[in-house]
Amino acid sequence: ASVRLTIADCEFNNNQAGSGSGGAVCNGNVNGSGSIVTIQDSRFKNNSARVGACLYNSQSYNELVIDRCIFTNNTSENSILSFDDFESAQLLNSYVIGNSVDGFSSNVINVNSTTQDEVFSMINCTVVHNFNTYANTVQSEIIRFFDSYHVIQNSIIHGNTEVVGRQVTANANVSHSIVEGGHAGGTSIIDEDPLFSSPYTGVQAGFDATDFDYRVQPTSPAVNAGFNDAVVAPYDLDLSQLSRIQG
C-alpha cells in the first residue's frame, strides 16, 4: 500500500543537508510503492541543501500536494523545490519568494518527468524575487519544467533572475498569469508590474519575505485576472485563509 503522510501547520526552519539532498523534507519511502503526501499551511525558511533545500525525493510519489505554504530565504547550489517521479504533483496557493541558488544551471523550482502521465500544476502561486547568485553566465531559468505538459495558472512570476529575458522555461504551459517579459505561446499572459503592497527592493540575494508585504494592491493587474475553473475545492483558500474567488 502507499505511504500516506500529511504535514500541516508546521515550521521547517534552519535545516541543513550539507552536500546532500532535501534540507527540510526528503521523500525516501522504501516500501516499494509511492507516497501520498500533503503539505499544508506550513512555512519553510532558511533551509539549505545541495539539491532541494526544501523538498527532494529519492522515491516516487503517487500524489503530492503543497497548499498554502511559504518558501523563503532558503539556499541551495542547485534547487529549492525539486519535483521528480510522481503521478500527480501540485503546488497551490503558495509563495516562493526571496530564495537563492548558486550555479550556472540551477533553479528555484525544478520539475522533472519522463512521461505525460506525470501531471504537474502550479496554480495561484507567487514566485518572485528569487535569485541565482552564480558569478558567471546563468544558463537555466528560475522555474524549469522539463516537459510542455506541466501547467502554470493564476500565478505571478516576476523579479527573478532572468535567462535571455525568461524566468520560466519556454516550454511551460502558462495561462492567466503575470509573467515578466511575457511568455510566447501562453494564454492570457500579463507583462506588467504586479503592484505588491510592500515588496523587497534590496540587492539580489536571499532574504526573508515575511518581513515584507506581497499582497497585491487593489489596482494590481492580477485582480480579477485569474481563471475561475482552476480553483477547485478543497484547495480554494488563499494564504490568509480567505476564499480564493471574491465577487
Side-chain angles (χ1 to χ4, degrees):
S2 298
V3 173
R4 185 180 297 271
L5 171 68
T6 299
I7 298 169
D9 299 296
C10 290
E11 298 259 355
F12 293 84
N13 300 330
N14 307 314
N15 299 287
Q16 300 180 12
S19 60
S21 304
V25 175
C26 180
N27 171 28
N29 165 31
V30 293
N31 77 336
S33 61
S35 300
I36 299 173
V37 177
T38 301
I39 306 174
Q40 199 165 41
D41 298 311
S42 296
R43 183 177 297 182
F44 295 73
K45 185 188 298 186
N46 199 34
N47 301 286
S48 65
R50 186 181 63 84
V51 181
C54 293
L55 178 72
Y56 177 81
N57 61 298
S58 59
Q59 299 293 322
S60 64
Y61 296 104
N62 285 349
E63 181 180 346
L64 171 65
V65 176
I66 299 173
D67 181 38
R68 298 195 302 269
C69 289
I70 289 172
F71 302 90
T72 188
N73 204 26
N74 302 286
T75 59
S76 174
E77 179 183 341
N78 289 293
S79 60
I80 304 299
L81 292 164
S82 178
F83 299 87
D84 193 7
D85 195 6
F86 53 84
E87 292 182 11
S88 171
Q90 299 180 83
L91 178 62
L92 311 170
N93 304 305
S94 298
Y95 81 50
V96 182
I97 305 175
N99 303 282
S100 63
V101 291
D102 184 11
F104 75 96
S105 62
S106 301
N107 324 105
V108 168
I109 299 175
N110 184 296
V111 182
N112 192 11
S113 66
T114 55
T115 72
Q116 293 191 28
D117 294 334
E118 295 177 323
V119 179
F120 177 86
S121 55
M122 185 178 92
I123 301 173
N124 289 115
C125 289
T126 300
V127 183
V128 304
H129 293 153
N130 300 284
F131 306 116
N132 190 334
T133 59
Y134 187 64
N136 297 309
T137 303
V138 175
Q139 299 182 16
S140 189
E141 295 83 353
I142 286 294
I143 302 174
R144 182 180 184 185
F145 290 176
F146 280 75
D147 294 289
S148 60
Y149 44 83
H150 298 321
V151 172
I152 296 174
Q153 291 178 302
N154 297 357
S155 294
I156 300 175
I157 302 168
H158 195 272
N160 305 287
T161 298
E162 296 181 350
V163 175
V164 293
R166 294 192 306 269
Q167 299 172 30
V168 58
T169 44
N171 63 335
N173 183 349
V174 186
S175 67
H176 301 88
S177 296
I178 292 178
V179 183
E180 186 176 15
H183 187 75
T187 302
S188 299
I189 303 298
I190 300 171
D191 182 9
E192 298 179 32
D193 188 332
L195 297 180
F196 296 115
S197 295
S198 181
Y200 175 79
T201 57
V203 300
Q204 294 197 0
F207 65 94
D208 185 351
T210 62
D211 292 336
F212 301 88
D213 188 350
Y214 277 91
R215 292 174 295 181
V216 295
Q217 300 177 40
T219 54
S220 168
V223 175
N224 293 331
F227 180 54
N228 286 0
D229 290 352
V231 180
V232 179
Y235 307 115
D236 52 356
L237 301 179
D238 66 14
L239 275 170
S240 300
Q241 302 283 352
L242 298 175
S243 177
R244 171 58 68 183
I245 299 176
Q246 300 283 332

